[in-house]
Amino acid sequence: MTKFFRFLQTIDLIRLVVGICMLLDGYPIIFFFRDTLHLAPNSTAFTAAGFAGGLVLMVPFTFLQRLYRPNVMMLTLLIGFLAMSIFYMFFFNGNPHFEDYNKDLIYYAYVLIFMFLLINIPNDIIRVFIPVVVFFTLVSNMALLYSLITDPTWTVGQRATISLGDNDDGSGNPHVFARNAFMGIVACGIWIMRPNTHILFRLLSFFSGSFSLAILILTQTRSSIVGLILAVICFLYFNARPAQIRSTVRSLLKPIPITIMLVGVVSIIVFFQRNYDTYAVLYGYVIGFMERNMDNIYALLGMKAQGADYSAVLDESAANRSTSAGFFYIVITGHLHMLILGYGYKYFYLDIPMVESLIDQGFFGFLLFGGMNAMAMYYSYHIMRTNPNPLSVFLAYFYTLIFVLVFTGGRPYEITFLFPLAMMTRFMGQEHLFPAYLVDHPEENSDAYLVVQEEMVASTG
């Protein structure tokens, strides 16, 4: 009977984590149902309903009965930034033609509800968080693959994305799919590295992680690729010490890990031998991505394109950031006093969120938004160094992508930043409050982790 109740508890924890995933990474699934299956093409209401469904899934049975302590300082900064954004939207709006009051208010309300529900969610979700993220990102990647295969307007060479609405020009948002792939790679890496992960789950993680890497290449998004490189560098810095290398090598030189590696390598070789076109496509994407970025470098240096007679030019996103940098330089050199209060809510789309928080909301807005990110970066460093639990480790490496994005794309008001920062507010810096069985001490919790994996097997059929 005890095992049965524990199984039901695991199912409930999985439900909560699926709800969290819908808020952190729901766009790929929502776009699939909305635009690929044509349930509500290009409908903002459908998107809002998808996020609302995630919030409903997050409501625990112990709602309001037990609250969990978040990171108070980060929570204060986040609520302060939301409050200041709402105040500026109504009383100091930098866009005289602004019409998205209702839309922005709804998303701010979602962020506040998300934070409140997180405070109600038990720490025990740590037990199932990584497996659920692996499955969730895998399903999202498969949905994207199905969309590409069935989309007559998509051709090899275009960025992997789902065409939005009734557009027939392959338009879409590849960044959300790159983000999903990034999350999948990080989660799979964590699950593979867990010492007691079953061989079947290691194989699943290897396949899903490889699939996510291929999707990341197909999306051709610089920010996600730079974030992944940064995450790998951080992992090597904190884990590639002589003692840890020796320990890793010893753990790999055992029958089961060797079998996994051999099966994985042979599977990849056989797959590409039978599907050479797939290899050619991926190779073409990699080469095309490198050439396009080299053109940006040549353009910045005022050089000619490699192997060509014409001058290299910046692509649209790089050109936009170059214009933003020029605007910021003008403000710094001639209108520095305007940075005290800022120019107003959404005054200018800089495509550099950290700088836009300063331009739009002045010193105080920059202090709030920058302070949140500074604290997330500080706790990420500490977590990467100590590896306290899989959920915290996931958030720490996930922040490498957020760190890149706050300097390369988007606006500080977007839920792309606000939902992850809310999640970090709940769990980062609070590891000392978690019960001992959720802390990564292999000698203490190895049996418990095996039980969780057995329950995951049973719950997934």
mmCIF file of all heavy atoms in Angstrom, residues 320-336:
data_model
loop_
_atom_site.group_PDB
_atom_site.id
_atom_site.type_symbol
_atom_site.label_atom_id
_atom_site.label_comp_id
_atom_site.label_asym_id
_atom_site.label_seq_id
_atom_site.Cartn_x
_atom_site.Cartn_y
_atom_site.Cartn_z
ATOM 1 N N ASN A 320 20.283 45.371 -36.578
ATOM 2 C CA ASN A 320 19.406 46.011 -35.609
ATOM 3 C C ASN A 320 20.151 46.290 -34.312
ATOM 4 O O ASN A 320 20.019 47.373 -33.719
ATOM 5 C CB ASN A 320 18.188 45.124 -35.342
ATOM 6 C CG ASN A 320 17.196 45.802 -34.418
ATOM 7 O OD1 ASN A 320 16.826 46.937 -34.630
ATOM 8 N ND2 ASN A 320 16.764 45.086 -33.380
ATOM 9 N N ARG A 321 20.959 45.328 -33.854
ATOM 10 C CA ARG A 321 21.725 45.540 -32.624
ATOM 11 C C ARG A 321 22.804 46.592 -32.823
ATOM 12 O O ARG A 321 23.144 47.326 -31.896
ATOM 13 C CB ARG A 321 22.322 44.222 -32.143
ATOM 14 C CG ARG A 321 21.264 43.207 -31.729
ATOM 15 C CD ARG A 321 21.842 41.949 -31.130
ATOM 16 N NE ARG A 321 20.801 40.947 -30.990
ATOM 17 C CZ ARG A 321 20.611 39.949 -31.827
ATOM 18 N NH1 ARG A 321 21.421 39.793 -32.859
ATOM 19 N NH2 ARG A 321 19.636 39.082 -31.637
ATOM 20 N N SER A 322 23.354 46.661 -34.019
ATOM 21 C CA SER A 322 24.340 47.705 -34.309
ATOM 22 C C SER A 322 23.694 49.083 -34.223
ATOM 23 O O SER A 322 24.266 50.019 -33.651
ATOM 24 C CB SER A 322 24.931 47.477 -35.710
ATOM 25 O OG SER A 322 25.853 48.497 -36.016
ATOM 26 N N THR A 323 22.466 49.206 -34.753
ATOM 27 C CA THR A 323 21.725 50.458 -34.651
ATOM 28 C C THR A 323 21.416 50.788 -33.190
ATOM 29 O O THR A 323 21.517 51.945 -32.761
ATOM 30 C CB THR A 323 20.419 50.371 -35.454
ATOM 31 O OG1 THR A 323 20.716 50.067 -36.808
ATOM 32 C CG2 THR A 323 19.642 51.673 -35.370
ATOM 33 N N SER A 324 21.052 49.768 -32.417
ATOM 34 C CA SER A 324 20.751 49.967 -31.001
ATOM 35 C C SER A 324 21.978 50.450 -30.241
ATOM 36 O O SER A 324 21.878 51.328 -29.371
ATOM 37 C CB SER A 324 20.242 48.653 -30.390
ATOM 38 O OG SER A 324 19.062 48.219 -31.039
ATOM 39 N N ALA A 325 23.137 49.872 -30.563
ATOM 40 C CA ALA A 325 24.372 50.295 -29.910
ATOM 41 C C ALA A 325 24.676 51.758 -30.239
ATOM 42 O O ALA A 325 25.118 52.524 -29.374
ATOM 43 C CB ALA A 325 25.523 49.392 -30.340
ATOM 44 N N GLY A 326 24.404 52.151 -31.494
ATOM 45 C CA GLY A 326 24.613 53.547 -31.878
ATOM 46 C C GLY A 326 23.684 54.482 -31.131
ATOM 47 O O GLY A 326 24.101 55.568 -30.670
ATOM 48 N N PHE A 327 22.407 54.072 -30.975
ATOM 49 C CA PHE A 327 21.444 54.889 -30.225
ATOM 50 C C PHE A 327 21.886 55.026 -28.768
ATOM 51 O O PHE A 327 21.840 56.130 -28.191
ATOM 52 C CB PHE A 327 20.059 54.249 -30.303
ATOM 53 C CG PHE A 327 19.027 54.906 -29.437
ATOM 54 C CD1 PHE A 327 18.413 56.089 -29.841
ATOM 55 C CD2 PHE A 327 18.676 54.359 -28.209
ATOM 56 C CE1 PHE A 327 17.452 56.696 -29.034
ATOM 57 C CE2 PHE A 327 17.727 54.965 -27.403
ATOM 58 C CZ PHE A 327 17.118 56.137 -27.816
ATOM 59 N N PHE A 328 22.318 53.932 -28.168
ATOM 60 C CA PHE A 328 22.759 53.965 -26.773
ATOM 61 C C PHE A 328 23.973 54.876 -26.619
ATOM 62 O O PHE A 328 24.088 55.615 -25.632
ATOM 63 C CB PHE A 328 23.082 52.547 -26.304
ATOM 64 C CG PHE A 328 23.479 52.460 -24.857
ATOM 65 C CD1 PHE A 328 22.588 52.793 -23.851
ATOM 66 C CD2 PHE A 328 24.758 52.051 -24.511
ATOM 67 C CE1 PHE A 328 22.948 52.720 -22.513
ATOM 68 C CE2 PHE A 328 25.135 51.966 -23.176
ATOM 69 C CZ PHE A 328 24.230 52.296 -22.179
ATOM 70 N N TYR A 329 24.872 54.858 -27.591
ATOM 71 C CA TYR A 329 26.061 55.719 -27.537
ATOM 72 C C TYR A 329 25.658 57.190 -27.559
ATOM 73 O O TYR A 329 26.229 58.031 -26.835
ATOM 74 C CB TYR A 329 26.979 55.399 -28.711
ATOM 75 C CG TYR A 329 28.195 56.290 -28.786
ATOM 76 C CD1 TYR A 329 29.287 56.091 -27.933
ATOM 77 C CD2 TYR A 329 28.246 57.339 -29.710
ATOM 78 C CE1 TYR A 329 30.400 56.919 -28.004
ATOM 79 C CE2 TYR A 329 29.365 58.170 -29.783
ATOM 80 C CZ TYR A 329 30.428 57.948 -28.935
ATOM 81 O OH TYR A 329 31.528 58.778 -28.990
ATOM 82 N N ILE A 330 24.664 57.525 -28.387
ATOM 83 C CA ILE A 330 24.189 58.911 -28.454
ATOM 84 C C ILE A 330 23.610 59.346 -27.119
ATOM 85 O O ILE A 330 23.843 60.466 -26.648
ATOM 86 C CB ILE A 330 23.146 59.055 -29.580
ATOM 87 C CG1 ILE A 330 23.800 58.848 -30.943
ATOM 88 C CG2 ILE A 330 22.459 60.417 -29.510
ATOM 89 C CD1 ILE A 330 22.817 58.819 -32.104
ATOM 90 N N VAL A 331 22.839 58.454 -26.487
ATOM 91 C CA VAL A 331 22.239 58.776 -25.193
ATOM 92 C C VAL A 331 23.328 58.998 -24.137
ATOM 93 O O VAL A 331 23.278 59.955 -23.357
ATOM 94 C CB VAL A 331 21.291 57.645 -24.746
ATOM 95 C CG1 VAL A 331 20.798 57.884 -23.318
ATOM 96 C CG2 VAL A 331 20.109 57.534 -25.695
ATOM 97 N N ILE A 332 24.318 58.120 -24.123
ATOM 98 C CA ILE A 332 25.380 58.212 -23.126
ATOM 99 C C ILE A 332 26.191 59.493 -23.296
ATOM 100 O O ILE A 332 26.560 60.157 -22.317
ATOM 101 C CB ILE A 332 26.319 56.975 -23.214
ATOM 102 C CG1 ILE A 332 25.589 55.715 -22.754
ATOM 103 C CG2 ILE A 332 27.580 57.178 -22.387
ATOM 104 C CD1 ILE A 332 25.243 55.698 -21.283
ATOM 105 N N THR A 333 26.472 59.858 -24.525
ATOM 106 C CA THR A 333 27.345 61.003 -24.772
ATOM 107 C C THR A 333 26.632 62.352 -24.759
ATOM 108 O O THR A 333 27.270 63.381 -24.492
ATOM 109 C CB THR A 333 28.054 60.836 -26.136
ATOM 110 O OG1 THR A 333 27.074 60.642 -27.176
ATOM 111 C CG2 THR A 333 28.996 59.638 -26.101
ATOM 112 N N GLY A 334 25.307 62.358 -25.018
ATOM 113 C CA GLY A 334 24.642 63.653 -25.116
ATOM 114 C C GLY A 334 23.390 63.826 -24.293
ATOM 115 O O GLY A 334 22.916 64.957 -24.105
ATOM 116 N N HIS A 335 22.810 62.731 -23.788
ATOM 117 C CA HIS A 335 21.549 62.830 -23.040
ATOM 118 C C HIS A 335 21.590 61.956 -21.789
ATOM 119 O O HIS A 335 20.634 61.244 -21.492
ATOM 120 C CB HIS A 335 20.377 62.416 -23.939
ATOM 121 C CG HIS A 335 20.321 63.160 -25.236
ATOM 122 N ND1 HIS A 335 19.733 64.393 -25.365
ATOM 123 C CD2 HIS A 335 20.815 62.853 -26.473
ATOM 124 C CE1 HIS A 335 19.837 64.815 -26.625
ATOM 125 N NE2 HIS A 335 20.495 63.894 -27.317
ATOM 126 N N LEU A 336 22.686 62.005 -21.094
ATOM 127 C CA LEU A 336 22.882 61.118 -19.950
ATOM 128 C C LEU A 336 21.834 61.328 -18.866
ATOM 129 O O LEU A 336 21.455 60.375 -18.159
ATOM 130 C CB LEU A 336 24.285 61.332 -19.366
ATOM 131 C CG LEU A 336 24.772 60.307 -18.342
ATOM 132 C CD1 LEU A 336 24.820 58.913 -18.950
ATOM 133 C CD2 LEU A 336 26.147 60.691 -17.810
#
